[in-house]
Amino acid sequence: MAVAFYDVNSAAGLKKLDEYLLTRSYITGYQASKDDLTVYAALSKSPSSDYVNVSRWYSHIDALLRISGVSAEGSGVVLEGSAPITAEAVATPPVDSKAATAEDDDDDDVDLFGEETEEEKKAAEERAASIKASTKKKESGKSSVLMDVKPWDDETDMKKLEEAVRSVQMEGLLWGASKLVPVGYGIKKLTIMLTIVDDLVSVDTLIEDHLTVEPINEYVQSCDIVAFNKI
């Protein structure tokens, strides 16, 4: 059964249409049809945002026309008090002439059979290498480590011991907070946090090749891993 609207360009007509679309997405049925195109074409301009439902519907139909068009037949719609709508206006989606011109220009620029130059090959290889390196870097995990650093005896200068420990610098290593913890007989140990990039730093290598060798071993007797957590 056909639905009817009166003078959809008047305030009263727009109000009625807005009320009608309050509970509907389309003029008839559950998909856009030629009934929607008929009402769309009857509107002399984009409806005011004061008519929330009409404005929503109008924007949706406008987008459909620009993207894919509308082909469903619909149930029929009658517009009273409006200018007659031609079949061409209903059936033909709007065409963006600027976009069409730009597409034509792009087609003219594409050389489907041109050979790739050495510069283009080199640029492509560099992009691929950059993407690969970036992906590997993102995939590399991190770990949070809590370490105990023990001095030789109670006469060890703990301030210099910490300075020596923090002097070890390498890519993927970040020293964090620290504190001195009494262990007995006047001896204190340094408990220190560090964050490492797993692919770049090995804790075992850090201890064996840096923290317990000269000159740091003048202060450091041994190192123990208290906690090791993936971030």
Side-chain angles (χ1 to χ4, degrees):
M1 181 178 179
V3 295
F5 299 101
Y6 180 81
D7 192 4
V8 292
N9 287 298
S10 68
L14 279 172
K15 183 179 180 182
K16 287 290 185 182
L17 181 59
D18 192 66
E19 292 173 351
Y20 178 82
L21 289 171
L22 176 63
T23 58
R24 297 173 177 84
S25 297
Y26 303 104
I27 297 300
T28 59
Y30 297 98
Q31 63 177 326
S33 68
K34 290 183 179 179
D35 293 343
D36 293 279
L37 299 187
T38 299
V39 179
Y40 174 91
L43 291 166
S44 59
K45 60 181 180 179
S46 176
S48 167
S49 59
D50 292 339
Y51 303 99
V52 177
N53 303 306
V54 178
S55 181
R56 164 187 52 77
W57 165 84
Y58 185 93
S59 297
H60 178 56
I61 299 303
D62 185 69
L64 287 178
L65 289 174
R66 295 183 183 280
I67 296 171
S68 58
V70 175
S71 58
E73 289 299 324
S75 303
V77 62
V78 176
L79 295 175
E80 301 175 357
S82 299
I85 309 302
T86 65
E88 182 180 0
V90 172
T92 306
V95 177
D96 189 334
S97 59
K98 291 183 180 179
T101 303
E103 289 179 2
D104 291 340
D105 291 343
D106 289 342
D107 291 341
D108 293 340
D109 293 338
V110 176
D111 184 1
L112 297 177
F113 303 100
E115 294 184 359
E116 190 176 31
T117 65
E118 288 298 323
E119 291 78 5
E120 290 172 336
K121 289 181 180 178
K122 185 177 180 181
E125 290 172 357
E126 289 177 350
R127 285 196 298 272
S130 176
I131 292 171
K132 184 176 180 181
S134 175
T135 302
K136 184 176 180 181
K137 191 171 183 181
K138 289 179 181 178
E139 291 176 349
S140 180
K142 292 183 179 181
S143 297
S144 175
V145 183
L146 181 63
M147 181 188 296
D148 278 349
V149 183
K150 298 175 182 177
W152 287 103
D153 51 40
D154 60 342
E155 294 182 358
T156 301
D157 189 327
M158 296 303 291
K159 183 177 180 181
K160 289 184 178 180
L161 180 145
E162 181 171 356
E163 290 175 353
V165 169
R166 291 183 182 275
S167 69
V168 177
Q169 299 292 326
M170 61 180 70
E171 185 180 3
L173 170 64
L174 178 65
W175 295 106
S178 65
K179 64 179 180 178
L180 296 178
V181 180
V183 294
Y185 302 102
I187 300 175
K188 295 182 180 180
K189 65 181 179 181
L190 174 70
T191 298
I192 188 167
M193 292 288 299
L194 56 144
T195 301
I196 61 171
V197 176
D198 297 333
D199 289 348
L200 299 177
V201 180
S202 163
V203 178
D204 291 338
T205 300
L206 174 64
I207 294 174
E208 294 172 5
D209 296 349
H210 296 278
L211 297 177
T212 55
V213 298
E214 294 182 350
I216 298 177
N217 65 356
E218 178 182 350
Y219 307 101
V220 176
Q221 186 266 334
S222 64
C223 298
D224 294 320
I225 303 301
V226 179
F228 191 108
N229 298 298
K230 295 288 186 181
I231 298 177

